[in-house]
Each structure stands twice: as C-alpha cells, then as structure tokens.
C-alpha cells in the first residue's frame, strides 16, 4: 500500500540499492533565511540511517533540511513520486514533479476551452463555491446542537445569512463577485469559530479574523498550515489524473502555485482542515506551547507540525461508505473522485455536469 | 469539428466490445490502467509466462474503410500457424475472442497464411486456469470486425463519451470504475 511519507529530520536522502535511505544529521537546523556564505551541504550525516522501501512511497514531504542529488531526482521521477518541500517555518515552498505521467491533449484543450468561455468558467467556479458553502454549513450544523443561548442565536443568524449567500450564488455574473461572495461566506463562518471551540479553548487561542502572510496568531498559523497540507494533497491527486493543475476556474490560472488545486481544496477544507483544527484544539493535543513567534508572524513548532501531520495522515485514510459505488473510500480517495468528476464535466458538460463534493454524513 | 483518424489496436477492439464508453475514454488519453491491480497482474502474467516463445509481434494493416489498424500479438507459434493471447481470467471472454479475431483479421488483410496456404488460427491461454480456448476467424467475423472498426472510428469523432452501461456487472471490476461513477 503506497502512502505519503513525511520526513521531519534533517540529513541526506539518497537512492541506495534501488530504494530510499535517509541518513540523518544530529545538528540543529537553521532558518533558511539565516545568512549563509558557504553554500555547503547540510551537516555531516552523523545520525541514524533509515532505509525505507520505495514501493511504499506515494509522495514525499520534506519538513527538515534535506540534501538530495540528481541521481535521487531521477529515481523519484522514474518511480513517479512527487516531492513537496517546506521551509524552516513550515511554509510550502516547492514541488518536485516527475515528468508528466498522464497526458491527454484533448482533455487539456477542453480544460482551456472551459476557462476561456466566461459562461462555462462561471458554471464551474460557482460549483466550487456552492460545494464549499454546503460543507461549511455541514460543519456548522455539526456543532450547532452543542451550543445554547446567545451562541445558538448567533449560529442561527449566520445560517440565515449563509442561506442568503447561497441564493446570491446563481445571480453572480462574474468571477470577482463570486470571489466576494466566497470571502463573505468564510468571514461569517470564521466569526463562529470561538463558539465552536468553547470558552476555554477560545480564551487560549483568540481569533478575530483570518490573516495570512504572515499568520498573526496561533489559529491563523494552524489554518495556514492546514490549508497548505490540503493544497498539496489535492495536487498529489490531480497529478495522478490527466488534468492540468495550472488551468483553474475559480482562481485565476497561475495566480500563485497550481490554481486548480486551490479550486478543489476549497471544497475539502471544511471537512479536512477545519474539523481537524477543532479536534486538535478541543482535545488539547495542540496547545500554545506548540507555536512560536518570529518576524511578526506566528508559526507551528516542529513538535506542533508533527502532531498536525500525523493527525492529517490519519484523517486522510479514514473511510466512508460511498453511495453510488457501494464500497468504502478514504477521504483522500474522495479528492481523486472530485478530479474525475471534473474530467467528466469537461468531456460532457451537459450530460454529466460537475457537482462539487457534498458531505453526506 | 474533429477529424480524428485513430490507429485502432486489438485492445481497443476488446474494450469496445465490452463497453464503448471505455473505448472512448481510453482514446481520449484518459487511461486508468496504471493504477489497477488487476491490470498490473495481467501484465506480470504476460511477462512471466511462456518465456521461451517468441513474444510481442507487431503488425499493421489497413481496414477496408481506410482505418489504420495495428496489432501487438502476445505470442506466436509461426510453425504451426497459431496466434496466442495470454489472459488472466475469463471474466470478459467474449471481448478476448474479438481481440484475437482482430489479430487474425490483420494477417488475413495482409494476405499472410501458413506454409500450406491454410489461414492462421488463434488460441487464448489462461495459464492461471490451465485452460486454452481455440479461436478461429470466419467470413461473418470479418464483416463484424469491419463494422466494429467503423463504429470505433465514429465514436472517436464524438465530442462526448457514450453513456455508461446500464448493466453494471462488469463495472465493479473495471479500472475505469471511479472515472465513471466516482
């Protein structure tokens, strides 16, 4: 069974005997923006060596400072393993993609055609926002019964407002207004977060509004890190299909990164990222110790990142009973299905229109 | 608007007999085989069985309607004039037969016969089941193959995929299942 591997240690990753091996260093990692005149490889590999089978690797996440060489890059390319790089602060920085695995010229043309036609583009962009809104409502309704008094009233009011936003969706005439509706939805939703977290957690993790680059406080740091995990997971799935990750509908193509992954991540964030955050904070698995402040921003510490990533990994492999296929599928696989739905829409927008993923549980 | 003139191979003919939608999708470059365990097993089986024989012979021909036809035959026994096709199981036996008939047709179109002037015959090998099944090509099959090839050619020109099968018996085993129903 292939699964993603997350490497937090620093050291050297190499191809050895046609498999992978991590040779660890024991030294401390320095921030990537610290002055470095030497340009030398990381410290000597003086720590443990851990070989691991390449057949079990679906993708690699490098959170530590890792030296690689072209031999390894070629090997990863042959094995079709994408590698995601994160900087010292846990920001996503780059992906190393194997040469295109699946190519379909016709599909790519269709993808571009749907982008170029304002009407067709809007149909898809709306579907993304609509599905994101549905899943957000689902999360709200999950927490609603646990609240009382004025908190309950606040949730009721927000649900009403969200309903208005939902009604406004079909009336949106272009992408910017759609983006504005989407932003409004998220704003209203974030305002409920302190209620969902409960008074104790909310006191430890104050949250007024979403701020990024840099994230201003713990919750913002957590959202940013969670979103970047979600983004790379979606990308990993897109990469296994013939879709071109740069052509997107809700986000402008080439905005930043692979925009199609941003479009699809929108749909899954409430289920995967937001509920993960509530869970980790409410159970006390994460606490203020797991965050540190640098350069005016707030970031997860390595220990904190490990907690989030291991929870994330577990969450992705959770399964639900699929309704039409009548078998169990993992959350991660649901993302792949989303890519396939998009493929079906691009092939046949009338007969098989895309409807974004709606949580059915 | 599409002026597709696809090269049609034996696997595609097999796909079409099974499910035209599958054929359309794979012609679009939307392959699903790379992750299917069943397909991987089939490939492994092909690689590891009958290693002493001549394998993977390629031939091409032109159909009566001008379509380019290509074939990659699993295994040949030229001395006895038999084309072999190795398969894992009999789940889609009818489509296997058509795939092999297609290869026999390619030889027929090229005017290739055995030393004694007799036409080639075919045999499907199921090494896991320890069974073989003979396949021959008659005049009716030839007309049927010609119609199949033109039908594939016309669906290749189609903008949208053919509908999903109404009976989903095979779908649960198909590598394309998630693409169709996911």
């Amino acid at each position: 069974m292939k699964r993603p591997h997350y490497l937090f240690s620093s050291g050297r990753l190499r191809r050895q005997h046609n498999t992978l091996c991590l040779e660890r260093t024991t030294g401390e990692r320095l921030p990537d923006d610290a002055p470095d005149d030497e340009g030398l490889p990381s410290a000597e590999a003086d720590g443990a060596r851990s070989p691991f089978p390449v057949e079990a690797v679906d993708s690699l996440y490098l959170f530590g400072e890792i030296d690689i060489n072209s031999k390894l890059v070629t090997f990863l390319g042959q094995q079709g393993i994408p590698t995601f790089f994160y900087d010292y602060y846990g920001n996503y920085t780059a992906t190393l993609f194997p040469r295109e695995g699946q190519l379909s010229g016709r599909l790519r043309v269709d993808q571009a055609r749907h982008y170029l036609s304002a009407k067709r583009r809007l149909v898809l962009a709306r579907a993304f926002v609509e599905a994101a809104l549905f899943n957000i409502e689902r999360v709200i309704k999950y927490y609603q019964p646990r609240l009382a008094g004025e908190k309950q009233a606040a949730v009721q009011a927000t649900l009403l407002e969200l309903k208005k936003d939902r009604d406004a969706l079909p009336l949106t005439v272009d992408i910017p207004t759609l983006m504005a509706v989407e932003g409004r939805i998220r704003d209203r939703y974030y305002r409920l977060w302190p209620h969902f977290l409960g008074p104790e957690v909310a006191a430890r993790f104050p949250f007024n509004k979403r701020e990024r680059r840099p994230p201003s406080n713990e919750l913002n740091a957590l959202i940013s890190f969670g979103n970047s995990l979600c983004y790379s997971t979606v990308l990993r799935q897109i990469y296994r299909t013939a879709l071109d990750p740069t052509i997107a509908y809700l986000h402008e193509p080439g905005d930043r990164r692979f925009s199609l992954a941003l479009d699809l991540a929108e749909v899954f964030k409430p289920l995967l990222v937001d509920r993960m955050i509530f869970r980790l904070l409410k159970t006390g698995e994460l606490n203020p110790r797991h965050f540190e402040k640098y350069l005016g921003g707030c970031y997860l510490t390595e220990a904190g990142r490990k907690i989030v990533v291991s929870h994330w990994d577990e969450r992705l492999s959770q399964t639900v009973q699929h309704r039409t296929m009548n078998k169990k599928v993992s959350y991660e696989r649901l993302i792949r299905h989303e890519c396939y739905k998009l493929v079906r829409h691009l092939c046949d927008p009338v007969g098989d229109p895309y409807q974004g993923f709606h949580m059915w549980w | 608007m599409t002026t597709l003139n696809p090269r049609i191979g034996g696997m595609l003919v097999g796909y079409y007999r099974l499910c035209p939608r599958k054929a359309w999708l794979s012609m679009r470059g939307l392959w699903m085989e790379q992750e299917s365990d069943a397909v991987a097993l089939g490939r492994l089986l092909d690689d590891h069985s009958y290693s002493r024989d001549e394998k993977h012979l390629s031939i091409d021909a032109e159909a009566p309607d001008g379509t380019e036809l290509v074939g990659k035959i699993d295994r040949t026994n030229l001395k006895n004039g038999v084309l072999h096709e190795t398969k894992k199981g009999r789940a889609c036996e009818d489509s296997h037969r058509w795939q092999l008939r297609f290869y026999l047709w390619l030889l027929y179109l090229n005017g290739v016969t055995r030393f004694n002037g007799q036409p080639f015959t075919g045999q499907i090998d199921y090494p896991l089941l320890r069974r073989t099944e003979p396949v021959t090509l008659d005049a009716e099959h030839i007309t049927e193959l010609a119609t199949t090839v033109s039908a594939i050619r016309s669906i290749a020109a189609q903008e949208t995929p053919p509908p999903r099968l109404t009976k989903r018996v095979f779908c649960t085993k198909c590598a394309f299942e998630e693409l169709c129903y996911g």
Side-chain angles (χ1 to χ4, degrees):
Chain A
M1 188 63 187
K2 280 178 186 273
R3 48 192 301 261
H5 280 58
Y6 307 86
L7 309 184
F8 285 91
S9 316
S10 296
R12 192 186 153 140
L13 184 65
R14 44 184 295 209
R15 167 184 182 174
Q16 193 183 34
H17 303 148
N18 271 343
T19 194
L20 297 169
C21 178
L22 177 67
E23 293 172 346
R24 292 192 171 81
T25 54
T26 48
E28 188 88 335
R29 182 183 180 185
L30 292 177
D32 298 320
D33 42 11
D36 181 0
D37 303 325
E38 319 265 304
L40 290 174
S42 326
E44 275 300 301
D46 50 3
R49 288 175 67 250
S50 339
F52 53 105
V54 69
E55 288 83 7
V57 180
D58 167 83
S59 46
L60 283 168
Y61 283 74
L62 307 185
F63 290 98
E65 183 176 334
I66 301 270
D67 287 359
I68 57 174
N69 61 13
S70 61
K71 198 174 187 175
L72 177 78
V73 173
T74 310
F75 187 52
L76 293 175
Q78 285 165 351
Q79 302 288 329
I81 298 172
T83 308
F84 299 91
F85 293 86
Y86 288 78
D87 71 6
Y88 180 81
Y89 304 103
N91 297 316
Y92 166 82
T93 51
T95 314
L96 183 66
F97 263 135
R99 183 169 47 81
E100 206 71 50
Q102 263 224 340
L103 280 179
S104 165
R106 291 295 306 277
L107 185 75
R108 188 164 295 192
V109 169
D110 282 339
Q111 221 183 317
R113 201 155 53 188
H114 278 257
Y115 167 72
L116 290 171
S117 146
K119 218 167 108 193
R120 288 180 180 184
R121 179 179 173 188
L122 200 60
V123 168
L124 278 170
R126 256 194 220 128
F128 290 128
V129 177
E130 192 278 328
L133 173 59
F134 182 93
N135 293 329
I136 283 176
E137 285 175 327
R138 207 76 196 196
V139 172
I140 295 177
K141 283 176 185 160
Y142 177 81
Y143 286 100
Q144 191 185 13
R146 306 171 184 199
L147 302 173
E150 68 186 76
K151 288 176 184 168
Q152 178 67 254
V155 170
Q156 297 282 10
T158 306
L159 281 175
L160 273 177
E161 280 167 350
L162 288 179
K163 197 174 169 301
K164 275 185 216 149
D165 290 330
R166 172 177 294 278
D167 297 337
L169 279 184
L171 308 173
T172 45
V173 286
D174 55 11
I175 301 292
T177 46
L178 194 60
M179 283 294 241
V181 174
E182 201 250 322
R184 210 159 66 211
I185 292 169
R186 283 245 151 212
D187 267 353
R188 298 193 205 286
Y189 170 54
Y190 283 134
R191 248 177 271 147
L192 293 177
W193 278 34
H195 298 330
F196 296 158
L197 289 170
E200 275 167 49
V201 181
R204 274 198 290 170
F205 295 100
F207 183 58
N208 344 324
K209 68 189 233 271
R210 175 84 179 109
E211 281 167 321
R212 44 194 184 92
R213 295 197 214 172
S216 57
N217 58 22
E218 288 85 351
L219 258 172
N220 276 309
L222 208 44
I223 296 174
S224 293
F225 187 64
N227 285 350
S228 83
L229 283 179
C230 186
Y231 165 77
S232 70
T233 307
V234 172
L235 190 54
R236 203 162 81 204
Q237 296 302 330
I238 293 178
Y239 168 72
R240 305 282 179 205
T241 69
L243 290 168
D244 180 340
T246 59
I247 304 177
Y249 303 99
L250 177 60
H251 295 82
E252 203 56 49
D255 237 6
R256 47 194 182 108
R257 313 182 185 178
F258 293 118
S259 315
L260 187 62
L262 294 172
D263 280 7
L264 289 171
E266 213 59 64
V267 176
F268 287 95
K269 277 187 218 162
L271 164 67
L272 297 175
V273 181
D274 302 348
R275 296 211 25 198
M276 169 178 77
I277 294 174
F278 297 141
R279 163 77 185 276
L280 288 175
L281 294 183
K282 290 182 84 151
T283 55
E285 280 173 83
L286 276 181
N287 55 50
R289 265 191 301 125
H290 293 119
F291 297 87
E292 48 194 351
K293 299 219 180 231
Y294 309 101
L295 314 164
C298 183
Y299 298 95
L300 276 158
T301 60
E302 187 182 315
R305 287 206 283 268
K306 274 187 187 167
I307 294 173
V308 176
V309 165
S310 79
H311 185 85
W312 175 257
D313 195 45
E314 210 179 291
R315 183 163 283 258
L316 286 183
S317 55
Q318 270 177 38
T319 57
V320 285
Q321 182 73 18
H322 195 280
R323 283 179 162 181
T324 48
M325 288 204 306
N326 202 20
K327 64 179 180 192
K328 292 204 158 183
V329 289
S330 67
Y331 286 179
E332 182 165 9
R333 203 67 189 174
L334 285 174
I335 302 177
R336 176 80 68 89
H337 289 179
E338 209 60 12
C339 301
Y340 290 150
K341 278 195 238 167
L342 197 56
V343 170
R344 294 206 301 261
H345 179 102
L346 295 172
C347 290
D348 190 3
V350 184
D352 213 344
Y354 171 78
Q355 203 211 10
F357 160 75
H358 285 193
M359 280 171 81
W360 62 78
W361 61 95
Chain B
M1 66 171 272
T2 341
T3 48
L4 267 182
N5 196 2
R7 282 152 59 90
I8 291 179
M11 208 179 63
L12 196 61
V13 171
Y15 277 6
Y16 178 80
R17 300 297 306 198
L18 205 55
C19 169
R21 183 181 171 91
K22 186 173 182 174
W24 188 92
L25 290 168
S26 72
M27 275 190 285
R28 272 266 165 144
L30 302 170
W31 304 297
M32 298 293 296
E33 285 87 354
Q34 74 280 13
E35 275 188 39
S36 160
D37 289 341
V39 175
L41 188 59
R43 202 165 287 156
L44 204 66
L45 186 73
D46 181 40
D47 284 348
H48 288 267
S49 44
Y50 313 113
S51 47
R52 279 167 297 180
D53 290 341
E54 191 187 345
K55 300 218 288 189
H56 303 307
L57 181 80
S58 295
I59 41 172
D60 47 27
E62 195 176 293
D65 69 352
T67 314
E68 217 181 315
L69 307 176
V70 288
K72 208 176 96 189
I73 301 159
D74 275 357
R75 187 164 70 98
T76 46
N77 184 340
L78 297 177
K79 207 165 71 187
N80 298 321
V82 187
L83 302 186
H84 291 262
E85 180 68 25
T86 313
K87 292 289 178 193
K88 186 164 66 69
R90 297 169 112 149
C92 21
E93 209 171 8
D94 188 54
S95 112
H96 296 163
R97 278 193 211 111
W98 282 106
Q99 187 180 347
L100 198 44
R101 278 178 200 138
F102 175 79
Y103 297 142
L104 291 171
W105 188 42
L106 289 186
L107 291 184
Y108 169 84
L109 286 172
N110 280 325
V112 178
T113 56
R114 295 168 60 179
F115 299 118
N116 59 8
Q118 290 291 308
F120 272 66
T121 55
Q123 180 176 316
I124 308 178
D125 302 325
Y126 296 102
L128 295 180
L129 309 175
R130 305 191 178 273
R131 291 276 187 283
T132 60
E133 206 209 328
V135 172
T136 49
L137 183 75
D138 62 29
E140 257 173 62
H141 295 142
I142 291 176
T143 11
E144 177 82 26
L145 278 165
T147 355
T148 304
V149 164
S150 349
I152 294 177
R153 206 176 144 159
S154 67
I155 67 158
Q158 233 171 275
E159 282 290 304
T160 55
R164 302 175 182 88
L165 294 182
T166 39
K167 278 175 85 179
R168 279 177 63 181
V169 183
F170 179 72
C171 293
T172 50
K173 286 185 200 147
C174 178
F176 289 71
E177 186 194 13
E178 288 179 307
L179 183 54
C180 289
Y181 299 98

